[in-house]
Amino acid sequence: MTTAVSSASLLSSAQTAAQSAASSATSSTSSTTTTDPLASLGSNSTEFLTLLTTQLKNQDPSSPTSTDQLTTELAQFAGVEQQVSTNTNLSTLISLTQEEQMYNSQSLVGKTAEATTSTLPLQNGAAEFSFTSSNTDPVAIAIADSSGTVVKTVTMTPRAGTNTYTWDGTDNQGTTRSDGAYYVAIQGQTASGATSLTPTVTGTITGTSLDAGTVDIEMGGATIPMSSVISLHSATSSDTAATSAAAA
């Protein structure tokens, strides 16, 4: 038996979760300054050679640097130089692998993908997602835009099992929203109270991109990690997804 949770409480939780998803997506795409380890290693190599040369120039003629110490320092320099070369070759190999991944991923364009993510692509004025409910108690759905503003809220009675909801792209005021990336959150109920339900979004792949060495798929204005994709099929194939649940 589930613990009764008010519709207002469910909606509030869903709105907060949708806003949090939008905020997280925005912060993760913000530009950050990173240090190139290879450049740092190369710089250290140059500095090491400069220090070694300076040491030799300024050594005490009456007590020159021992050959053992000099040999050790030269060996250290050679090790750093070898590491720079190895990292350069590794970077080249990684770059070639990424290019191959991008080339292969181009074959996905035009296919329909299902992905486990809160990022909801609104394409051609419609967006679709599914979720699984363990019972028939009311659930609340909130959809936020990229700025974190909640534009759509819905309370609905699901069926036990998989449910599919199609958003027609209109907000709570009936205004048609522009295509792009939105963020969805779903709150359901269990015996212990309110719980977050995981959405599975559906959309058409319009492109691919590389992000920190991993391939992302693009669905219109929405970008989703390839690792979130759970199925791919032709856009012309018939849909056998669960019947859409009616909004309350």
Side-chain angles (χ1 to χ4, degrees):
M1 183 177 182
T2 58
T3 301
V5 180
S6 68
S7 296
S9 178
L10 284 177
L11 278 174
S12 177
S13 296
Q15 291 181 62
T16 299
Q19 291 172 325
S20 176
S23 176
S24 296
T26 301
S27 62
S28 66
T29 55
S30 299
S31 58
T32 55
T33 302
T34 57
T35 301
D36 181 2
L38 184 58
S40 176
L41 189 58
S43 175
N44 290 338
S45 173
T46 302
E47 290 176 3
F48 182 88
L49 183 58
T50 300
L51 289 173
L52 179 60
T53 303
T54 302
Q55 176 187 359
L56 293 174
K57 285 182 177 179
N58 295 279
Q59 63 182 325
D60 185 353
S62 63
S63 179
T65 303
S66 69
T67 54
D68 288 344
Q69 181 181 349
L70 183 59
T71 300
T72 300
E73 292 177 347
L74 286 173
Q76 290 174 341
F77 172 73
V80 173
E81 190 175 35
Q82 175 93 31
Q83 190 63 50
V84 171
S85 177
T86 300
N87 286 0
T88 300
N89 293 335
L90 182 59
S91 295
T92 301
L93 180 60
I94 291 174
S95 178
L96 291 173
T97 301
Q98 292 174 350
E99 289 176 4
E100 182 180 7
Q101 288 178 329
M102 279 295 295
Y103 176 79
N104 293 335
S105 66
Q106 291 303 307
S107 62
L108 301 178
V109 175
K111 291 185 178 297
T112 298
E114 293 181 334
T116 304
T117 176
S118 59
T119 302
L120 181 65
L122 182 63
Q123 297 176 287
N124 300 318
E128 182 181 295
F129 58 90
S130 62
F131 61 92
T132 301
S133 177
S134 61
N135 53 61
T136 58
D137 292 310
V139 300
I141 298 170
I143 299 173
D145 61 18
S146 58
S147 68
T149 301
V150 175
V151 298
K152 184 72 173 181
T153 53
V154 176
T155 301
M156 59 183 290
T157 302
R159 65 183 183 183
T162 301
N163 297 264
T164 301
Y165 180 79
T166 300
W167 178 38
D168 64 2
T170 60
D171 59 22
N172 288 334
Q173 287 71 46
T175 303
T176 299
R177 306 290 298 191
S178 301
D179 285 357
Y182 292 81
Y183 303 89
V184 60
I186 309 165
Q187 286 289 312
Q189 303 180 62
T190 64
S192 57
T195 185
S196 297
L197 302 181
T198 303
T200 298
V201 306
T202 301
T204 301
I205 299 176
T206 56
T208 58
S209 60
L210 275 176
D211 178 25
T214 61
V215 177
D216 291 338
I217 62 170
E218 297 171 359
M219 297 180 178
T223 301
I224 297 171
M226 180 68 79
S227 58
S228 298
V229 176
I230 59 174
S231 70
L232 290 164
H233 57 86
S234 171
T236 58
S237 62
S238 34
D239 257 333
T240 54
T243 305
S244 297

